[in-house]
Amino acid sequence: MHVANPSLALPNIVLTDESLGRLSDWLAVQTGASRVTVTDEGRLGGAVAFNLALTLDVDGGPRAGRHACVLRAESAGRLAASIGRRREFAVLSAAVAGGVLAPEPLFFCDDPGVLGPDFLIMRRAEGAGGGFNVVKADAPEPELARELGRQLGLLHRVMPGAPGLERLPEPPACPAQEAIAQLRDWIGDLARRDPVLAWGLRWLEVNAPPPDAVVLCHRDFHGGNCLVKDGRLSAILDWEFAGFGDPMEDLAWFCARSWRFRRLHRDSGGGGDRDDLYAGYEETSGRRVDPRRVAYWETAAYLRWAAVALQQGERHCSGAEPSLELALTGRRLPEIEMELLRHLRAQGWADKAAATPEPAATPADPPEAASDAPVERVA
């Protein structure tokens, strides 16, 4: 597992009178104000980054007035996939410039003398967060599903070379092969000892699609990272895993059963139908959805979620960030593996990896429609 060593882990930010003073002075310089008063409104949710609600009262300068903001910093135990706050600031800037409903990034700080860890400050969006809030309606919400697709389509119009994104790693020559290498690295020795993970990784190798478009991906796009107000999408949050990849990767992650929040029969994030998500996506992206590639990346999604869950558990077990939530996340591996097996079996691909001794030159045949009948989840 690639998680910060406890002795090297960054401390969580705690705003004392002294640190609030340093932050206020730093913000006064950034805003050209005579004074900035910072009010700590309390910690917000977030399984990876440290999020703190702030209210900034700015006296003087071009930003004079009251601003509801969020301060985001790295948590004590950093995950391997996290891109850090500097890169996240660049990604947010590019997404907002592309018309995506992302929080506007305002300031970035890498001066350890202010609060210690790097942090960014962005505008605070209104709305209810959490996956269960997004899918709580009894009836499907086709317009919300379409809007989520539209937002992904806008994001995927941001290509390598966009201003500010030179800070991100180079676009992969083959997103599928890069994903496989990352997964093997993140999962470590367990990728050889656990038969389900080993089989899933082998299946990805055998069925890897050839390279196609490479775009800016969110890589954690699901209902739990969205805000909804009055039934309408108000913001897409948590961009710490963003990077260049296959556009079908984001669609697949959103549609995976792991992110349906108990509404397993609704294959668009638990809130609607996949067709509505796809229709919205095609409205704005300028490309057609390829169901075969989406199905491939759904397989990768379960393995990626397994890697993240294991790393979250290690953050707790290593002592980097003791947390019951993180410990329980690490215990979700059997559930995730069951979802992976269901996915492959439903596609009729269960024996493909075992039957093929060498990686295929082309992707597997198009999948048949998967069954989404509710089943009992494995704890």
Side-chain angles (χ1 to χ4, degrees), residues 245-294:
D246 188 311
M248 301 301 107
E249 177 183 353
D250 273 342
L251 289 166
W253 185 265
F254 189 79
C255 291
R257 288 169 63 97
S258 300
W259 303 112
R260 296 182 193 174
F261 301 94
R262 298 180 186 171
R263 304 277 191 171
L264 299 180
H265 58 294
R266 297 181 188 167
D267 54 4
S268 177
D273 296 327
R274 190 184 297 249
D275 288 347
D276 292 317
L277 178 77
Y278 289 0
Y281 181 81
E282 291 180 352
E283 284 181 31
T284 56
S285 67
R287 66 173 55 84
R288 301 284 293 179
V289 174
D290 183 342
R292 177 169 54 184
R293 296 181 83 94
V294 173

Side-chain angles (χ1 to χ4, degrees), residues 9-341:
L10 294 170
N12 283 331
I13 291 175
V14 178
L15 291 185
T16 63
D17 289 343
E18 181 181 354
S19 59
L20 273 173
R22 294 196 302 269
L23 179 61
S24 297
D25 291 343
W26 181 82
L27 283 168
V29 174
Q30 303 304 308
T31 59
S34 57
R35 186 178 70 165
V36 176
T37 302
V38 180
T39 303
D40 179 354
E41 305 286 0
R43 187 167 180 180
L44 301 172
V48 178
F50 175 86
N51 298 292
L52 198 64
L54 302 176
T55 297
L56 309 182
D57 288 293
V58 181
D59 296 335
R63 293 186 182 270
R66 173 166 288 190
H67 305 273
C69 298
V70 174
L71 182 150
R72 280 175 62 78
E74 205 72 54
S75 288
R78 178 173 175 174
L79 297 186
S82 178
I83 61 175
R85 301 288 77 80
R86 181 187 294 275
R87 288 174 172 175
E88 185 177 10
F89 188 92
V91 165
L92 282 168
S93 299
V96 170
V100 179
L101 288 173
E104 180 190 0
L106 300 175
F107 312 108
F108 168 77
C109 179
D110 60 358
D111 180 356
V114 179
L115 295 179
D118 293 357
F119 65 88
L120 66 85
I121 294 177
M122 62 188 190
R123 292 202 185 276
R124 195 186 331 156
E126 295 184 353
F132 291 103
N133 287 318
V134 174
V135 305
K136 65 182 179 181
D138 291 332
E141 299 182 89
E143 182 52 37
L144 180 57
R146 280 179 175 264
E147 181 57 27
L148 287 161
R150 293 185 194 107
Q151 291 299 312
L152 264 188
L154 290 171
L155 174 64
H156 291 172
R157 295 180 72 92
V158 180
M159 310 293 284
L165 295 186
E166 62 276 359
R167 294 187 180 278
L168 293 181
E170 287 292 318
C174 179
Q177 295 297 338
E178 181 186 65
I180 294 165
Q182 286 180 335
L183 288 168
R184 289 196 176 279
D185 183 42
W186 295 344
I187 297 173
D189 185 59
L190 194 61
R192 295 183 293 275
R193 295 187 289 107
D194 184 293
V196 177
L197 297 179
W199 181 32
L201 286 165
R202 175 59 177 158
W203 188 93
L204 289 180
E205 290 177 337
V206 168
N207 296 280
D212 195 7
V214 175
V215 301
L216 181 62
C217 293
H218 184 282
R219 286 193 167 144
D220 199 17
F221 187 74
H222 60 77
N225 285 336
C226 295
L227 293 181
V228 174
K229 182 180 181 182
D230 299 327
R232 299 178 63 86
L233 183 69
S234 58
I236 300 168
L237 309 176
D238 294 352
W239 295 75
E240 62 258 350
F241 294 157
F244 295 120
D246 188 311
M248 301 301 107
E249 177 183 353
D250 273 342
L251 289 166
W253 185 265
F254 189 79
C255 291
R257 288 169 63 97
S258 300
W259 303 112
R260 296 182 193 174
F261 301 94
R262 298 180 186 171
R263 304 277 191 171
L264 299 180
H265 58 294
R266 297 181 188 167
D267 54 4
S268 177
D273 296 327
R274 190 184 297 249
D275 288 347
D276 292 317
L277 178 77
Y278 289 0
Y281 181 81
E282 291 180 352
E283 284 181 31
T284 56
S285 67
R287 66 173 55 84
R288 301 284 293 179
V289 174
D290 183 342
R292 177 169 54 184
R293 296 181 83 94
V294 173
Y296 175 86
W297 286 104
E298 280 190 53
T299 306
Y302 295 115
L303 289 157
R304 182 182 177 92
W305 176 215
V308 170
L310 288 166
Q311 291 180 27
Q312 294 286 62
E314 185 62 19
R315 286 168 67 187
H316 167 80
C317 293
S318 68
E321 189 174 356
S323 161
L324 179 59
E325 179 183 0
L326 295 177
L328 292 173
T329 302
R331 299 288 293 175
R332 298 189 67 177
L333 181 61
E335 172 193 340
I336 299 167
E337 291 186 330
M338 182 61 75
E339 299 289 22
L340 170 61
L341 295 175

